[in-house]
Amino acid sequence: MEPPRKRRTSPVWEHFELFAQNKVRCLLCHKELTYSNNTSSMIRHYRAIHDHAQSAASGPDTSQNSRKKIVDDALVNMVIKDSQPFSIVEDVGFKELIHVLEPTYVLPTRQALKAMVDKQYEEAKEKAKKTLQKVMSVSLTSDMWTSINMEAYLAVTCHFIDEEDQLGTILLGVEHFPSTHTAENLAMAHSRFMEEWGIKDKTKCIVTDAAANMIACVNNLNVRHALCVAHNLNLIVKKSFEEVPGLSELRAKCRKMVTYFRTSTTAKETLTQVQKQMGLPSLKMILEVDTRWNSTYLMLERLYNLREPVGAALASLRTEITPPTSLEYEIIKETIQVLGAFQQATIELSGEKWVSASKVIPMLKMLSHTTQNKTKSLTSSMARQLGANLVRRVIDRSLKAEAITVRTMPTLLDPRFKKLGFLSSTKLEEAITRLKGNCAEIIRNTPSSTPLQLQEAIQTDQSSDSGDLWHLLDSNVGQSRQNSSAIVDATIEVDRYLSEVNLPRQEYPLMYWSKHKYIYPHLYKLAQMFLCIPASSVPCERVFSKAGEIVSKKRNRLNPNTVKKLIFLNKNQ
């Protein structure tokens, strides 16, 4: 029996025959399928069973296959970018939309869609591994996260300077972590990451928060450790707040009022109407989060800006909540002024796409300087004491940072800052000495760096017929001459670099090193090593923000392995 004429135009009929009123047979494998006056089941069978077994030319239609791949890729990218569930291909409305946009396209099953994601994950991972093979050194950030299912995950991001002297970031993975969060277990997990990605010998630093198990984990790995600056600033501000009598109570009063406006529908609508009547933009109150000091800053700033509509709204509402007095609003205003510089510092030091580790020391110096100047003009005793507390803690943190290699080396190697960022002249000299020592080590480990005359002298010593009697002494002399030469060369290179005029702060430091890699070849290698260190572990926290969208209530049954792949693809696109 011949198929209906309107169906003969479909290329899939080249591979099927209609042998009964509602039955078709595949000409390639002789499988029988139910036929209901459309070719959907036939196309699905061909693509699932035969499409990969034949070349594109032997498929139903080369141009149609090409179009199918374009739509398939777009579908996969939508699932990855927008955190859509695999079950979207079963949603009636989505099916109708696809049919209108692409009538000949047959949506894959959710299992087929998941297989497409798996394939893209493997391809993307292989590409990322090839990228990391080409870099000289990397730094990692690491943090833990707990999903809505109370499952723990460990995230590790990798930061490096690529062949084009640009800062690069790759999410290595978000691994399910069912084990207890001991330093030993965390160290083993990090080791697996580094071995899998081939970066064990390239990892120069790991940035984490101040959790004791994370610090012990990095110590077990025998890798340099840097504490997240964003967490440090959070602790500085929180402890400075707590040390000011009355300020915590004022903050709690503000929080209570903000909570009222965010949880009461009537209060929220009243505030919106009052803002419209005053000709103001409709803004919502911001509630602070205990783990983020800058959320306190944003809460107080928004409350102060909305003080007039908030007062008018409260006057028309039946509530026992009272707004701050004019004196309290003045304290809030000056508190915001003091904290403004810390907000700016937190934003700058949390960036992924620009060099941030080199900013830590000069940023701390500028914070102490700016806060001291602002405190002088304050009238509120609470705000003045808050300013004094902040300055004291920032100076203490700054002096500690100036004694740590992973903080001092990036600053000295940033042509915008060099020596200008340091508070202590003693710490500066110690840092320069360490820089010269690191540079000398690079020179000693560079085969072509040994002068020809010295190589000939060493060879002459080694080939002399003095026998074993003078071998040890001759070797020590040769090594001493090599060390002396390396130290001299390193001192010359470092002093010449530091004597140059600093770049303007708006310039990009990696562009400088790209242009000067042959002038200062050994410092260039150190720059690649230290300037890729992030100032904070915020990159991992951004990963968890996306993870929270993926592991949602609608997708709470996702396999942890699938979660890993989806987050990897989303963050590495």
Side-chain angles (χ1 to χ4, degrees):
M1 181 182 297
E2 288 294 321
R5 183 172 181 80
K6 64 178 181 178
R7 297 301 174 188
R8 291 179 180 176
T9 58
S10 175
V12 78
W13 283 109
E14 296 178 9
H15 303 277
F16 289 86
E17 64 174 352
L18 183 68
F19 66 93
Q21 184 66 29
N22 62 346
K23 289 285 186 178
V24 292
R25 181 185 293 112
C26 177
L27 299 177
L28 297 173
C29 67
H30 305 293
K31 182 177 178 61
E32 296 179 2
L33 304 174
T34 300
Y35 175 69
S36 56
N37 209 29
N38 67 69
T39 60
S40 298
S41 60
M42 298 155 62
I43 294 174
R44 188 177 296 112
H45 169 81
Y46 179 86
R47 289 174 177 169
I49 305 300
H50 306 297
D51 202 22
H52 301 294
Q54 300 185 28
S55 65
S58 65
D61 181 44
T62 304
S63 62
Q64 187 175 350
N65 283 347
S66 176
R67 181 63 184 166
K68 173 187 176 298
K69 186 178 187 313
I70 292 173
V71 181
D72 282 347
D73 290 343
L75 177 61
V76 171
N77 286 334
M78 184 196 70
V79 169
I80 293 168
K81 291 180 179 178
D82 299 339
S83 304
Q84 295 290 342
F86 295 128
S87 61
I88 193 172
V89 295
E90 299 171 353
D91 293 345
V92 175
F94 185 71
K95 285 182 176 180
E96 292 175 350
L97 173 65
I98 293 298
H99 180 70
V100 171
L101 296 176
E102 194 72 29
T104 61
Y105 179 72
V106 179
L107 279 166
T109 63
R110 76 159 74 182
Q111 292 80 9
L113 180 58
K114 183 178 179 300
M116 294 178 194
V117 170
D118 292 343
K119 180 181 178 183
Q120 187 163 328
Y121 167 76
E122 295 300 333
E123 292 173 354
K125 186 174 180 180
E126 191 62 31
K127 181 180 177 182
K129 282 186 176 181
K130 289 180 180 178
T131 298
L132 292 183
Q133 287 174 1
K134 299 175 184 177
V135 303
M136 188 185 79
S137 60
V138 303
S139 294
L140 307 179
T141 63
S142 177
D143 205 354
M144 299 291 297
W145 174 70
T146 303
S147 72
I148 60 171
N149 298 329
M150 300 307 295
E151 292 181 322
Y153 288 85
L154 171 68
V156 179
T157 63
C158 180
H159 308 264
F160 54 89
I161 296 174
D162 62 22
E163 291 181 305
E164 298 178 355
D165 296 311
Q166 296 295 317
L167 202 60
T169 299
I170 291 175
L171 169 65
L172 299 187
V174 179
E175 292 287 348
H176 184 219
F177 201 86
S179 309
T180 54
H181 300 176
T182 63
E184 292 75 16
N185 289 338
L186 287 168
M188 288 174 61
H190 283 82
S191 292
R192 286 196 298 270
F193 267 115
M194 291 187 284
E195 289 173 2
E196 179 185 2
W197 286 85
I199 57 172
K200 192 158 191 175
D201 295 330
K202 296 181 179 182
T203 303
K204 305 302 179 183
C205 178
I206 300 180
V207 182
T208 72
D209 58 21
N213 58 344
M214 279 294 190
I215 296 174
C217 158
V218 180
N219 290 336
N220 288 347
L221 293 170
N222 197 27
V223 179
R224 289 189 179 99
H225 181 243
L227 288 174
C228 171
V229 175
H231 284 84
N232 279 332
L233 290 179
N234 190 54
L235 290 174
I236 288 172
V237 175
K238 287 185 68 174
K239 290 183 178 179
S240 297
F241 252 90
E242 293 168 358
E243 293 175 351
V244 180
L247 193 56
S248 294
E249 288 75 10
L250 176 58
R251 173 185 168 191
K253 179 179 180 179
C254 294
R255 177 169 183 156
K256 182 179 179 180
M257 186 172 63
V258 169
T259 302
Y260 171 67
F261 276 99
R262 288 185 61 88
T263 56
S264 169
T265 304
T266 303
K268 188 184 301 182
E269 291 178 354
T270 302
L271 179 59
T272 301
Q273 291 299 321
V274 170
Q275 290 181 82
K276 288 181 179 179
Q277 293 169 6
M278 291 183 171
L280 300 172
S282 181
L283 300 175
K284 295 180 180 180
M285 305 288 270
I286 297 175
L287 185 62
E288 68 176 351
V289 180
D290 288 335
T291 56
R292 290 289 176 269
W293 81 265
N294 53 335
S295 66
T296 302
Y297 169 84
L298 295 173
M299 179 184 74
L300 296 177
E301 182 185 46
R302 177 61 57 84
L303 175 59
Y304 182 79
N305 291 337
L306 295 179
R307 61 191 182 281
E308 293 182 4
V310 164
L314 286 174
S316 63
L317 293 166
R318 295 182 179 181
T319 176
E320 297 180 355
I321 294 179
T322 57
T325 64
S326 58
L327 178 60
E328 288 174 330
Y329 268 127
E330 189 61 28
I331 295 173
I332 292 172
K333 175 185 176 182
E334 293 191 345
T335 299
I336 294 170
Q337 291 176 354
V338 172
L339 294 177
F342 286 82
Q343 168 71 351
Q344 181 182 349
T346 301
I347 293 172
E348 288 196 33
L349 293 175
S350 299
E352 287 183 67
K353 299 185 182 301
W354 55 81
V355 175
S356 58
S358 59
K359 282 187 175 182
V360 174
I361 288 176
M363 187 79 78
L364 290 172
K365 180 179 179 180
M366 291 300 100
L367 275 176
S368 64
H369 172 75
T370 304
T371 307
Q372 280 178 325
N373 285 346
K374 286 187 176 181
T375 303
K376 294 176 183 177
S377 61
L378 300 177
T379 58
S380 162
S381 59
M382 284 189 188
R384 284 201 306 272
Q385 186 170 347
L386 174 64
N389 292 345
L390 290 169
V391 170
R392 172 172 52 82
R393 290 186 178 280
V394 167
I395 291 177
D396 178 64
R397 181 61 61 184
S398 180
L399 293 176
K400 289 179 179 178
E402 290 178 11
I404 302 173
T405 297
V406 292
R407 293 295 178 224
T408 58
M409 292 299 103
T411 302
L412 288 175
L413 290 166
D414 192 321
R416 301 172 297 174
F417 305 124
K418 297 182 183 178
K419 299 185 289 186
L420 295 181
F422 288 75
L423 273 175
S424 168
S425 57
T426 302
K427 299 289 186 184
L428 171 60
E429 292 305 316
E430 292 174 356
I432 293 174
T433 301
R434 284 198 299 274
L435 177 60
K436 291 177 179 178
N438 286 333
C439 186
E441 185 68 22
I442 294 289
I443 293 173
R444 281 192 289 267
N445 292 333
T446 304
S448 60
S449 63
T450 306
L452 180 62
Q453 298 85 348
L454 181 56
Q455 290 182 15
E456 293 174 348
I458 294 172
Q459 291 173 359
T460 301
D461 289 342
Q462 292 175 346
S463 61
S464 64
D465 56 357
S466 56
D468 296 333
L469 177 62
W470 297 100
H471 177 74
L472 177 61
L473 187 142
D474 292 341
S475 298
N476 290 339
V477 169
Q479 187 63 44
S480 174
R481 292 167 67 178
Q482 278 186 295
N483 290 338
S484 176
S485 175
I487 292 171
V488 170
D489 291 345
T491 301
I492 293 172
E493 189 168 335
V494 171
D495 287 343
R496 183 183 173 191
Y497 160 71
L498 293 177
S499 65
E500 283 189 3
V501 178
N502 287 31
L503 289 183
R505 188 175 56 83
Q506 294 77 14
E507 295 290 328
Y508 191 50
L510 296 184
M511 187 177 293
Y512 169 90
W513 283 112
S514 182
K515 294 178 179 178
H516 291 74
K517 64 175 70 176
Y518 301 113
I519 300 175
Y520 306 115
H522 308 104
L523 287 177
Y524 169 71
K525 291 183 178 180
L526 289 174
Q528 286 185 308
M529 186 184 304
F530 286 104
L531 291 183
C532 66
I533 300 174
S536 73
S537 59
V538 169
C540 274
E541 295 178 21
R542 292 195 180 104
V543 170
F544 294 145
S545 296
K546 179 55 64 175
E549 295 178 17
I550 293 174
V551 190
S552 59
K553 290 182 180 179
K554 191 175 181 180
R555 313 179 75 186
N556 58 13
R557 295 175 62 189
L558 271 179
N559 185 286
N561 193 44
T562 303
V563 173
K564 174 185 72 173
K565 294 175 180 178
L566 289 170
I567 299 175
F568 179 91
L569 289 170
N570 181 278
K571 298 303 294 185
N572 288 332
Q573 283 186 336

